[in-house]
Amino acid sequence: MTTQTVADTRRLSPLLLVNLATLLSATGNGITVVALPWLVLQQTGRATDAAVVAGAATLPLLLSSLFSGTVVDRFGRRRTSLVSDCLSAVSVALIPVCAASVGLSVPVIAVLAALGAAFDPAGISARESMLPAATRAAGWRLDRVNSLYEANYNVAYLIGPGVGGVLIATVGAVNTLWVTAACFAGSIATIAFLRLDGAGVPDRATRPTSMWSGTLEGLTFVWRDRLLRTLALVDMVIVALYMPVESVLFPVHFTDLGQPAQLGWVLMAMSVGGVVGALAYGSLAARVRRRTLMLIAVSVLGACMVGMAFLPPLWVTLTLAVAVGLVYGPVGPIANHAMQTHSPEHMRGRVVGVMTSTAYAAGPLGYLLAGPLIDAVGLQTTFFVLAVPVGVIAAVCFALPALRDLDRP
């Protein structure tokens, strides 16, 4: 191996380490998504208890994601990633420990699930904030790195639930959580080897003085930047309208049909499309404007949701699901690029945290809307109620001048 080859490998190592840590951590979370509800149903057999645990794992994300960026900018990116994964690993490992010692109950599982969820956003924000420095070390284009990062993240959530299902069938739900803890441990070990500019403890002069003031500074910065403000608001509305489709409407539809396996196929089709779309963005960004890709994504999403609202045959639904993933795969890398290029180095964690928190806040709002609507007007009407506004938002996006900033230096 030549000296030049060794140098090139070293320049790529930060990027490889950040992506490997993200893959391991997100895969662990993907396994947990399957293992925790299964564990609760094994314990009590009541769907209500599973919903309680799911809610406990979701609600902390609203606040923790908002403050996570301040943690990153105050204590450092590498340290935050290490501590976040360590606390997540401990909270997950405590579940099988309790099962083997004092026994498990729904409140205990809910509390530990909430703790694990509360620690995750800080680690996610920390690793994402390291991407620009890793990009410079690798000598790659930022669009290419964001494309790889988002595809990597999607792959983790594609394989995590599948691995979780296999493990539950072979070793049981409780022992499966040891594998989740091992994934977090692998992420810790990976980041421990990372050496990257800007990943250490921030300079005292630039780091936030307190959690509250730092978070307020992040909120103010995002609101005053017209591109970030626009992306946050558009993302909030779309997430609120679309997330219930995956998490409420499709489960209700396929349960009514008595075809739970088909639900898995549709969700997998979306995930596969998302991976391909995110990877494609790396090459598309050099040829197509980011604003154009964003407008295509929102427009096709609205059209596909209207098509799904007719509750067509399975092959049509699968085609629409793949299309949604393909066109929306580039949106994550585009949003990452906007956050990275519109935020100063010392505030990047806070900007990422604030932008992420808007999506976490929107999801529960959509669930609260969808459930009562299905009971009141039926599944198909609810589908149209959610789908048509997405088409309206797409039309509005064409007129938003702020989105032109996506392609400005």
Side-chain angles (χ1 to χ4, degrees):
M1 183 179 288
T2 66
T3 304
Q4 182 64 40
T5 303
V6 173
D8 288 344
T9 302
R10 287 176 179 171
R11 290 177 65 234
L12 281 172
S13 63
L15 187 59
L16 294 173
L17 290 172
V18 170
N19 274 283
L20 178 58
T22 298
L23 179 66
L24 289 167
S25 180
T27 298
N29 284 325
I31 294 172
T32 305
V33 167
V34 175
L36 284 183
W38 193 281
L39 177 61
V40 174
L41 290 172
Q42 277 186 330
Q43 293 284 317
T44 70
R46 292 192 296 267
T48 301
D49 291 336
V52 168
V53 172
T58 302
L59 290 177
L61 296 174
L62 303 181
L63 282 178
S64 62
S65 59
L66 183 61
F67 288 96
S68 65
T70 305
V71 173
V72 173
D73 287 342
R74 193 173 185 190
F75 298 104
R77 295 162 185 169
R78 183 172 175 272
R79 179 188 295 178
T80 300
S81 179
L82 291 170
V83 173
S84 171
D85 282 336
C86 182
L87 293 174
S88 293
V90 170
S91 66
V92 170
L94 280 175
I95 296 177
V97 168
C98 289
S101 55
V102 298
L104 287 175
S105 65
V106 172
V108 169
I109 297 173
V111 168
L112 293 176
L115 286 175
F119 301 138
D120 286 337
I124 295 170
S125 296
R127 289 184 288 272
E128 191 167 324
S129 297
M130 289 190 254
L131 286 178
T135 301
R136 291 191 294 272
W140 287 16
R141 292 183 297 108
L142 194 54
D143 284 318
R144 183 185 179 189
V145 169
N146 285 325
S147 171
L148 175 65
Y149 179 82
E150 288 298 321
N152 178 47
Y153 203 84
N154 286 335
V155 166
Y157 274 95
L158 181 62
I159 65 176
V163 170
V166 172
L167 287 172
I168 290 170
T170 54
V171 300
V174 171
N175 289 326
T176 294
L177 294 172
W178 285 118
V179 178
T180 300
C183 288
F184 287 122
S187 178
I188 293 168
T190 302
I191 293 297
F193 286 100
L194 179 66
R195 298 295 181 271
L196 187 64
D197 290 340
V201 179
D203 184 74
R204 183 179 294 274
T206 59
R207 65 184 183 221
T209 56
S210 70
M211 294 297 295
W212 176 252
S213 65
T215 302
L216 188 60
E217 288 167 2
L219 285 166
T220 303
F221 184 90
V222 169
W223 184 255
R224 288 179 176 174
D225 186 290
R226 72 171 190 171
L227 175 59
L228 296 180
R229 180 179 67 242
T230 300
L231 288 176
L233 293 174
V234 170
D235 187 47
M236 278 188 71
V237 178
I238 288 179
V239 167
L241 294 170
Y242 176 72
M243 285 304 293
V245 172
E246 288 190 16
S247 302
V248 181
L249 274 67
F250 272 143
V252 170
H253 174 54
F254 288 109
T255 299
D256 290 343
L257 293 178
Q259 296 289 346
Q262 293 183 5
L263 171 62
W265 299 345
V266 171
L267 297 181
M268 185 174 291
M270 290 180 183
S271 297
V272 171
V275 171
V276 175
L279 285 174
Y281 171 76
S283 58
L284 285 173
R287 302 175 179 85
V288 184
R289 290 181 179 272
R290 297 184 192 91
R291 175 178 176 269
T292 301
L293 292 173
M294 185 76 181
L295 294 176
I296 290 173
V298 182
S299 301
V300 174
L301 175 64
C304 288
M305 285 181 66
V306 171
M308 291 172 177
F310 287 99
L311 304 178
L314 178 62
W315 70 269
V316 176
T317 302
L318 288 171
T319 302
L320 294 173
V322 171
V324 167
L326 284 173
V327 300
Y328 228 74
V331 171
I334 290 172
N336 287 349
H337 186 275
M339 289 186 283
Q340 293 155 356
T341 57
H342 279 246
S343 60
E345 183 72 21
H346 70 281
M347 286 191 68
R348 184 160 298 128
R350 279 166 282 179
V351 170
V352 172
V354 168
M355 295 289 286
T356 302
S357 69
T358 59
Y360 283 132
L365 293 176
Y367 301 149
L368 291 174
L369 171 68
L373 267 177
I374 293 173
D375 293 334
V377 299
L379 178 65
Q380 191 166 45
T381 302
T382 301
F383 237 126
F384 280 108
V385 169
L386 296 177
V388 172
V390 176
V392 174
I393 292 167
V396 171
C397 285
F398 278 87
L400 292 176
L403 292 183
R404 299 185 186 279
D405 293 348
L406 287 170
D407 299 295
R408 287 176 181 161

